[in-house]
Amino acid sequence: MDTIRQPRTVEQATALCEKLAVLEGQIADIESDRQDSIAAINARADTAANDLIAQRDVIAEKLEPWWKKAGKALLDGKRKSIELGGCVIGTTATRKSLAIAGDESAVVELMRGLRWAKPFLREKWSIDRAATLKALDGKHKPKLVELGFDEAGGEDRFFVKRAEQAGTRSGQ
């Protein structure tokens, strides 16, 4: 790797930017090749696995009704599965979820009027960050600052990257 010195003139900075643009282009080509290679490998693996996946799914489809009939006789106690022929076969309970008959917002309104139902309701408050940031430029700024609000960020940050469009300045 060549020694890279800090530029002192516009011409030197231009030369470094041109070099950076070339490097960014080469890196983009490498990344594109990587993505193409990964896509090709994935396509080959998917193609190779398709028949195996189809066979697996057919076997599972045939085993399910058999298990529903014969499974209980093979289980002992509270177990819901057994090891059979190098596989674990059985059933598992899905996670319970809450079902609500009717319009949820109507049920919530009904529950708000019932003292015993209050523990089952939740009200979530949060700060509207965009509105608060905007208000820091207005009449509520002193009160918001007193509460601990302030603006953060907004500093200029250096960047340099390859230009993607035509009309890039070169060697001015």
Side-chain angles (χ1 to χ4, degrees):
M1 183 168 86
D2 297 337
T3 302
I4 300 173
R5 290 187 165 68
Q6 182 176 337
R8 293 187 174 161
T9 65
V10 172
E11 291 78 20
Q12 291 173 338
T14 300
L16 282 178
C17 285
E18 289 170 352
K19 174 109 175 138
L20 186 134
V22 169
L23 292 172
E24 287 283 351
Q26 291 171 339
I27 292 168
D29 289 344
I30 291 168
E31 288 297 322
S32 177
D33 288 346
R34 177 200 316 245
Q35 293 304 316
D36 291 345
S37 296
I38 290 170
I41 290 167
N42 285 340
R44 281 195 306 272
D46 290 346
T47 300
N50 280 341
D51 288 342
L52 302 174
I53 291 168
Q55 287 180 39
R56 178 201 62 196
D57 292 347
V58 168
I59 290 170
E61 186 180 296
K62 300 297 181 185
L63 282 170
E64 184 177 3
W66 171 82
W67 178 257
K68 286 181 179 179
K69 292 177 191 170
K72 288 182 182 169
L74 298 171
L75 296 172
D76 59 343
K78 295 182 179 184
R79 291 194 53 99
K80 297 171 85 176
S81 62
I82 62 167
E83 190 171 327
L84 185 67
C87 295
V88 176
I89 185 169
T91 59
T92 184
T94 59
R95 187 173 180 189
K96 290 182 180 180
S97 64
L98 183 64
I100 302 173
D103 178 35
E104 183 175 342
S105 57
V107 173
V108 168
E109 283 303 313
L110 178 65
M111 289 176 72
R112 287 181 69 190
L114 303 172
R115 180 183 291 179
W116 63 266
K118 298 250 188 263
F120 309 117
L121 296 174
R122 171 173 51 195
E123 190 166 342
K124 182 178 179 186
W125 292 89
S126 64
I127 295 169
D128 183 338
R129 293 178 180 280
T132 306
L133 184 61
K134 187 176 180 181
L136 281 170
D137 289 333
K139 65 180 182 181
H140 294 297
K141 180 177 182 167
K143 292 184 267 183
L144 289 168
V145 168
E146 186 177 318
L147 289 173
F149 291 101
D150 199 358
E151 293 178 355
E155 298 89 18
D156 288 341
R157 187 170 32 186
F158 175 77
F159 76 94
V160 59
K161 63 180 183 176
R162 178 174 170 243
E164 298 294 332
Q165 73 278 356
T168 308
R169 294 181 175 204
S170 174
Q172 207 174 359

